[in-house]
Amino acid sequence: MKIKRVKNYRRTIDLYDTHFGLKTNPLEILVDSTFARQALVQQLHIEQQFKCTLSCEFTLVTSSCIILECEKLGPLFSAALQILQQYKVLKCTHKVHKNTSAFSCIKRRILTARSRKCSETKSRKGSLLFALASNDESLQQYARAVPGMPIFFIAHRRINLESIPIPVSLLLQQKATRAPDLTPSECSKIKQFCDRFGFSEESYTRRKKTKGPNPLSCKQKLHKPHTVKRTKTKRKRKRIKMTWAMKQVIERLETELSSKDA
């Protein structure tokens, strides 16, 4: 079951890579405080677990707002803070205040990735997609709206990857049915190729050949050996013949019964 699950995870990440321009060399995974806290509760080593589940290279990152929030929360998140400080810390471009939360920072990053419309761009240089590692349901809901953003969460003492959302699967179906867009240069090359080798744009109608007889009809039939059916004869019922002595006994019994009734 574990091998099958890991294969599905790798397949989904490859799908995000090919269709939505997700950077997988290395894959950037943004880890928040809820994810680190849950890993401590369930006694999981985050980096080792990701190595087991992912086939591509990855880098674990966090933001400065997440670290500031862990410092504010005090001893409850002190162990989670030590874990997050081991990873690469991304500097936030927005103004950091005392009231700014890590939730708003991560939400802003998700919305910027969505606004760039990475699903439509084929170049990975301008892609702002990243993988989100969070156990916060509200953040996961925002990340589901971005096509091509993998969502990791901890449950059942392992790191799980969320399956492809329904809107993203519908978008992939539309891409599959849509005809590929050709550039004008490609169209001109195709025309030159057709003119060179004598291909015409008219539909080629294939002539029907004269069909021969059905080979099964020409096959000789196998004659079954003639077997004589035996008719079943009905058995005649043997009638018991009444002797004179038996008749006398029956008459005597009848008279006795009639006398008793009287």
Side-chain angles (χ1 to χ4, degrees):
M1 192 68 187
K2 183 182 176 182
I3 296 164
K4 191 176 180 181
R5 185 173 62 248
V6 170
K7 280 183 180 179
N8 288 331
Y9 292 170
R10 289 172 183 174
R11 198 179 292 116
T12 51
I13 287 165
D14 290 339
L15 191 140
Y16 289 152
D17 181 18
T18 52
H19 291 280
F20 301 106
L22 178 70
K23 291 179 183 178
T24 54
N25 285 319
L27 177 66
E28 196 177 64
I29 303 168
L30 182 67
V31 184
D32 71 340
S33 56
T34 59
F35 192 85
R37 174 70 180 163
Q38 195 66 26
L40 281 168
V41 170
Q42 298 196 7
Q43 297 178 357
L44 292 173
H45 194 279
I46 295 170
E47 196 169 353
Q48 286 180 1
Q49 287 290 320
F50 273 119
K51 282 179 182 177
C52 294
T53 53
L54 297 175
S55 59
C56 60
E57 295 179 0
F58 63 91
T59 53
L60 299 171
V61 297
T62 186
S63 67
S64 55
C65 288
I66 294 167
I67 288 169
L68 284 170
E69 190 178 37
C70 289
E71 288 173 354
K72 286 177 189 176
L73 291 168
L76 187 66
F77 280 81
S78 60
L81 177 64
Q82 290 177 5
I83 292 166
L84 292 170
Q85 282 174 347
Q86 296 173 7
Y87 308 144
K88 184 182 175 182
V89 181
L90 300 174
K91 291 182 180 180
C92 298
T93 54
H94 61 86
K95 292 180 181 179
V96 180
H97 299 287
K98 293 181 180 179
N99 297 324
T100 54
S101 62
F103 176 82
S104 60
C105 175
I106 298 165
K107 181 184 170 183
R108 193 178 286 106
R109 286 179 183 276
I110 292 165
L111 293 172
T112 50
R114 186 183 178 184
S115 63
R116 289 291 294 271
K117 295 182 181 179
C118 299
S119 61
E120 294 178 4
T121 58
K122 293 182 181 179
S123 62
R124 288 176 174 76
K125 292 180 180 179
S127 178
L128 292 174
L129 283 173
F130 58 91
L132 178 68
S134 175
N135 274 43
D136 194 350
E137 291 182 0
S138 53
L139 280 174
Q140 289 174 6
Q141 195 171 359
Y142 281 110
R144 283 188 201 105
V146 183
M149 182 174 283
I151 302 163
F152 293 99
F153 63 95
I154 292 172
H156 307 291
R157 291 191 176 182
R158 64 171 182 265
I159 292 172
N160 300 303
L161 176 64
E162 196 172 285
S163 57
I164 299 167
I166 294 166
V168 177
S169 60
L170 291 170
L171 198 144
L172 288 168
Q173 286 178 7
Q174 288 176 4
K175 278 190 172 185
T177 53
R178 197 187 302 162
D181 297 327
L182 296 172
T183 58
S185 62
E186 288 174 348
C187 291
S188 63
K189 284 179 182 179
I190 290 164
K191 283 182 180 180
Q192 287 175 7
F193 182 80
C194 291
D195 294 336
R196 184 179 175 184
F197 292 98
F199 292 113
S200 60
E201 294 181 357
E202 295 177 358
S203 60
Y204 176 71
T205 56
R206 190 176 179 181
R207 291 181 181 179
K208 291 183 179 180
K209 294 180 181 179
T210 54
K211 292 181 179 179
N214 191 1
L216 294 173
S217 63
C218 301
K219 192 177 179 181
Q220 291 182 357
K221 292 181 180 180
L222 295 170
H223 295 287
K224 292 181 180 179
H226 184 67
T227 55
V228 179
K229 291 182 180 180
R230 293 180 181 179
T231 56
K232 291 182 179 180
T233 55
K234 290 183 180 180
R235 289 183 181 180
K236 291 181 180 180
R237 190 183 291 173
K238 291 182 180 180
R239 292 182 180 180
I240 300 166
K241 291 181 180 181
M242 295 286 286
T243 58
W244 179 82
M246 290 173 72
K247 287 179 181 179
Q248 291 293 326
V249 171
I250 290 164
E251 286 176 1
R252 189 177 176 183
L253 289 168
E254 285 178 354
T255 53
E256 284 178 1
L257 289 168
S258 61
S259 63
K260 282 181 182 180
D261 292 335

